[in-house]
Amino acid sequence: MKYEDYFNPKYKPKKSDIICTFRLNPCNKKSAGAVAAESSTGTWTTLTTSTEKRMLDLGAKVISIKGNLIKIAYSIELFEKGNMPQIFSSIAGNVFNMKEVKTLRLEWIDWSDTMINSFYGPKFGVHGIRKMLRVPKRPLCGTIIKPKLGLNASEHAQVAYRAWVGGVDIVKDDENLTHQPFNHFDKRIRETLKQRDYAEKVTGEKKIYMANVTAEANEMIKRAKFVKSCGGEYVMVDILTVGWSGLQTLRKANLGLVIHAHRAMHGALTRNKQHGIAMPPIADAARLIGVDQIHIGTAVGKMDETPEEVITLKNRVEGKLGKAKPVFAVCSGGLHPGHVSKLVKMLGNDIIIQCGGGVHGHPRGTKAGATALRQAIDATMKDISLKDYAKNHLELKLALNKWGTI
Ligand code: CAP
Ligand code: MG
């Protein structure tokens, strides 16, 4: 049998099939067949252990080659339902390293309802989060405690308090803050949630603390349970460094906590537009497993992505995906209050705008930075330009003086 035998444009995919779109170079029947074979039933040589017919019947089928994009249909029998690690070991495993393939990028996955329904999906999603925070319409806003590492638990909690009373809805740990000698997890959680309670009393608003539980899976569950026992409603997790298995373990624990998906390390997979895995398949996997909000980029901040990529991702995470609830898109990375109007114009109100340096770097400090961010959102919701609104809102004025607006 040859790789080309997996090329089968006449195959009519079954409703339960999963269809993957890959960018492939070189792109021909042989290289496409190699991807289909290696990601399903085949290997580099003929075998004595199975008939070719049996391998091809179950094997993946290359159903189209257009330019350097191919579509491969995978029968659902090739996968274990509800097992995201196994799915990615097939469609995003050995195929990236085959000599037959110079570059390969998994661009998109069309999931079947049969597969979608084998996962928990988000527990809260956009609507559940808006209900919890009692913020029906405007974008949510948050900050990340900065410096990302170095503050002790009490300093961390104090900075969080200042951000909450300044006006942000959400305060999160940074992606690499977990349980370090200078900032123990349990002390940070207890002290920061205490400050959250004070901030709620002072402001009369619901305030959220997203504690980073990223760790070995059993430890992650233990930490999430601790957050819950201290009255927390959210956890954040670095979905790629904990892996699909860790994320599924956290979701399966079904602790009633909102799950915030940080995507640290995604750039190793997504940045090269010719080779790796694009963000939509990663976001799909996280959504099917059951995260409630996920970072999608900003296009205007410090990270390398285009407006088209961010808009596509936004539409994907909140768009129809079987029964999976829409997931809240999080914009973060080099943002400051001067970006707010442009972001909302590009992405709409259903976004969470997170500014780390763009709050704590405010000339008057964290509280003023948080106020400036909230003022920028208020201005945008009133359809007033930031510049005009800044004329009688000092905190915003000082933020625009330092960072400008777009
Ligand atoms: C932002 C951030 C976020 C990145 C993640 C950071 O801080 O906390 O982790 O935005 O990137 O550590 O850089 P700043 P993405 O607001 O100070 O930039 O959202 O693209 O995954
Ligand atoms: Mg960060």
Side-chain angles (χ1 to χ4, degrees):
M1 183 158 68
K2 302 186 303 305
Y3 283 143
E4 290 84 336
D5 296 337
Y6 283 84
F7 178 65
N8 184 348
K10 290 204 179 66
Y11 173 71
K12 291 274 163 283
K14 298 190 289 297
K15 225 161 134 323
S16 58
D17 283 7
I18 288 177
I19 297 171
C20 291
T21 302
F22 292 94
R23 187 177 304 280
L24 172 62
N25 174 28
C27 191
N28 53 54
K29 287 181 188 172
K30 187 176 178 210
S31 60
V35 174
E38 190 61 38
S39 58
S40 63
T41 56
T43 189
W44 60 278
T45 179
T46 50
L47 300 173
T48 58
T49 50
S50 171
T51 63
E52 290 193 357
K53 181 177 177 332
R54 220 170 128 191
M55 284 171 71
L56 283 176
D57 285 352
L58 180 60
K61 285 97 177 156
V62 178
I63 55 175
S64 89
I65 299 179
K66 281 198 187 94
N68 66 347
L69 289 179
I70 63 170
K71 282 187 186 296
I72 299 182
Y74 294 85
S75 160
I76 197 154
E77 286 82 12
L78 288 164
F79 303 111
E80 180 187 351
K81 287 182 200 143
N83 182 341
M84 200 57 82
Q86 184 273 337
I87 293 168
F88 272 68
S89 294
S90 289
I91 62 176
N94 293 353
V95 287
F96 291 115
N97 213 26
M98 300 171 77
K99 283 191 180 131
E100 208 57 62
V101 166
K102 196 155 156 286
T103 57
L104 179 73
R105 190 178 202 239
L106 174 58
E107 294 283 359
W108 196 266
I109 304 174
D110 288 300
W111 303 84
S112 63
D113 283 346
T114 312
M115 186 55 89
I116 291 169
N117 296 338
S118 72
F119 289 94
Y120 284 93
K123 188 176 185 70
F124 297 91
V126 175
H127 309 295
I129 289 164
R130 281 198 175 282
K131 197 160 153 253
M132 179 186 281
L133 272 74
R134 306 194 297 267
V135 179
K137 201 166 171 313
R138 67 168 168 78
L140 301 179
C141 59
T143 189
I144 309 103
I145 300 294
K146 300 286 178 181
K148 44 175 63 183
L149 295 179
L151 299 184
N152 65 36
S154 312
E155 291 162 331
H156 184 102
Q158 289 307 320
V159 172
Y161 175 79
R162 291 197 284 275
W164 278 315
V165 294
V168 297
D169 305 299
I170 297 172
V171 171
K172 72 180 273 294
D173 291 346
D174 227 324
E175 69 279 355
N176 55 349
L177 177 65
T178 53
H179 178 66
Q180 278 94 333
F182 53 80
N183 190 323
H184 282 194
F185 180 83
D186 49 346
K187 191 164 190 294
R188 178 169 81 250
I189 302 322
R190 265 200 296 271
E191 300 217 358
T192 307
L193 285 172
K194 212 183 295 167
Q195 294 304 322
R196 177 213 52 190
D197 295 344
Y198 297 147
E200 286 186 338
K201 283 201 183 70
V202 165
T203 61
E205 292 184 339
K206 182 81 193 131
K207 299 296 180 184
I208 293 293
Y209 171 43
M210 296 202 293
N212 185 2
V213 295
T214 300
E216 175 277 327
N218 297 307
E219 181 60 29
M220 201 157 51
I221 302 301
K222 205 170 119 216
R223 291 182 186 177
K225 285 179 177 168
F226 181 76
V227 168
K228 189 175 174 89
S229 71
C230 296
E233 290 118 335
Y234 261 73
V235 288
M236 73 171 268
V237 57
D238 300 337
I239 57 171
L240 291 171
T241 50
V242 302
W244 300 136
S245 169
L247 187 60
Q248 286 197 252
T249 304
L250 178 64
R251 178 66 182 95
K252 195 173 172 196
N254 202 15
L255 298 171
L257 296 166
V258 179
I259 301 177
H260 173 96
H262 194 289
R263 59 178 185 171
M265 193 170 75
H266 81 87
L269 299 169
T270 60
R271 192 161 190 196
N272 181 332
K273 306 310 171 205
Q274 296 306 316
H275 187 79
I277 304 174
M279 247 329 276
I282 294 171
D284 283 356
R287 180 177 179 187
L288 293 186
I289 291 173
V291 303
D292 297 291
Q293 48 192 67
I294 189 165
H295 287 234
I296 66 159
T298 68
V300 296
K302 73 185 182 188
M303 300 295 188
D304 174 29
E305 64 240 338
T306 64
E308 294 69 34
E309 284 168 335
V310 176
I311 292 165
T312 301
L313 197 47
K314 168 80 166 42
N315 294 335
R316 184 63 174 178
V317 301
E318 65 183 19
K320 179 118 186 64
L321 187 62
K323 65 159 175 78
K325 291 189 180 83
V327 163
F328 230 131
V330 178
C331 294
S332 174
L335 293 180
H336 56 70
H339 287 129
V340 168
S341 300
K342 176 88 188 228
L343 267 179
V344 172
K345 194 156 173 271
M346 184 171 71
L347 300 169
N349 289 344
D350 275 347
I351 52 173
I352 299 173
I353 301 173
Q354 282 179 185
C355 302
V359 161
H360 308 294
H362 189 281
R364 293 275 174 98
T366 296
K367 186 175 175 222
T371 303
L373 178 55
R374 190 67 181 268
Q375 287 168 348
I377 288 178
D378 294 345
T380 305
M381 294 306 283
K382 291 172 186 158
D383 205 12
I384 301 169
S385 81
L386 298 184
K387 276 205 181 86
D388 286 345
Y389 205 72
K391 284 173 188 151
N392 44 27
H393 290 87
L394 179 61
E395 294 85 353
L396 180 57
K397 181 164 179 275
L398 293 173
L400 301 188
N401 290 348
K402 179 168 182 180
W403 294 306
T405 179
I406 49 173

